[in-house]
Amino acid sequence: VGFSAYTIALYHSYALTAADFGSYVHMFATTLSGEGFLLQGKYRASHPSGVYWGAHFSLTLLAFLPVYALVPRPETLLVAKSFVLAASVIALWLVVREHVDSDRLAKLLVVSYGLNPFLWSAWAFDFQEQVLLPLFVFLAYYWYRRERPVAFLVALALALLTNEFVVVIVAG
């Protein structure tokens, strides 16, 4: 909630970082209005169609479209992003409590993740679909360790469909 309020305040004061946020808002708005499917508003000679998937491929980005359709405002994406990142803390708790015998150490690990400066920078930054990755990766590992192959494969597939760079990480 705090990071939602913070990024919304940044947005309203014209201090939100990166032009990407405008592209995401434009993509969702043009998709909902029927003016074009995921048109990002960035036009280059190497990519004249302007469709987001010409530069990046993220099928899970569409998960935010129904949320944006309910409240079609830029602030919706900032709030959704904050809650997805908060859900990754809960997903990590599911993983850690199963693998660490000490409740104290488990809490320390989860708190250290929650206070991680990289997580905070993702919270404080504008909207990116990569915020889904920690949640999907933690859930994939959780289901893998619970020997639930279908749930594992679904979470892994969602991670792979979030960004084309995830393939390199998974291959490793």
Side-chain angles (χ1 to χ4, degrees), residues 28 45 76:
F28 287 120
T76 304

Side-chain angles (χ1 to χ4, degrees), residues 125-144:
F125 192 66
D126 61 26
F127 176 84
Q128 298 283 332
E129 72 272 5
Q130 289 89 343
V131 298
L132 291 164
L133 286 175
L135 178 63
F136 292 153
V137 169
F138 292 150
L139 288 176
Y141 181 77
Y142 176 77
W143 293 120
Y144 175 79

Side-chain angles (χ1 to χ4, degrees), residues 20 24 52 56-58 60-61 64 81 84-85 88 113 119 122 125-137 158-159 161-166 169:
D20 286 346
Y24 286 104
Y52 182 72
H56 297 287
F57 182 77
S58 176
T60 55
L61 177 64
F64 292 101
K81 172 209 56 167
V84 166
L85 286 170
S88 75
Y113 171 72
L119 180 65
F125 192 66
D126 61 26
F127 176 84
Q128 298 283 332
E129 72 272 5
Q130 289 89 343
V131 298
L132 291 164
L133 286 175
L135 178 63
F136 292 153
V137 169
L158 288 171
L161 293 171
T162 298
N163 190 293
E164 66 272 9
F165 304 121
V166 177
I169 297 167

Side-chain angles (χ1 to χ4, degrees), residues 40-153:
Q40 62 180 336
K42 295 179 183 177
Y43 299 99
R44 301 186 313 244
S46 63
H47 179 40
S49 74
V51 176
Y52 182 72
W53 286 345
H56 297 287
F57 182 77
S58 176
L59 192 58
T60 55
L61 177 64
L62 296 175
F64 292 101
L65 190 59
V67 176
Y68 186 82
L70 288 173
V71 183
R73 299 185 45 84
E75 295 90 340
T76 304
L77 297 178
L78 299 173
V79 172
K81 172 209 56 167
S82 293
F83 279 93
V84 166
L85 286 170
S88 75
V89 176
I90 296 166
L92 178 64
W93 173 249
L94 291 173
V95 171
V96 170
R97 72 179 184 157
E98 294 233 346
H99 301 293
V100 177
D101 293 332
S102 166
D103 279 348
R104 197 174 199 177
L105 180 58
K107 289 175 186 173
L108 178 65
L109 289 170
V110 173
V111 167
S112 69
Y113 171 72
L115 296 177
N116 184 309
F118 294 108
L119 180 65
W120 281 47
S121 68
W123 253 319
F125 192 66
D126 61 26
F127 176 84
Q128 298 283 332
E129 72 272 5
Q130 289 89 343
V131 298
L132 291 164
L133 286 175
L135 178 63
F136 292 153
V137 169
F138 292 150
L139 288 176
Y141 181 77
Y142 176 77
W143 293 120
Y144 175 79
R145 296 290 296 173
R146 302 276 317 220
E147 297 182 12
R148 302 281 305 269
V150 173
F152 161 72
L153 290 173

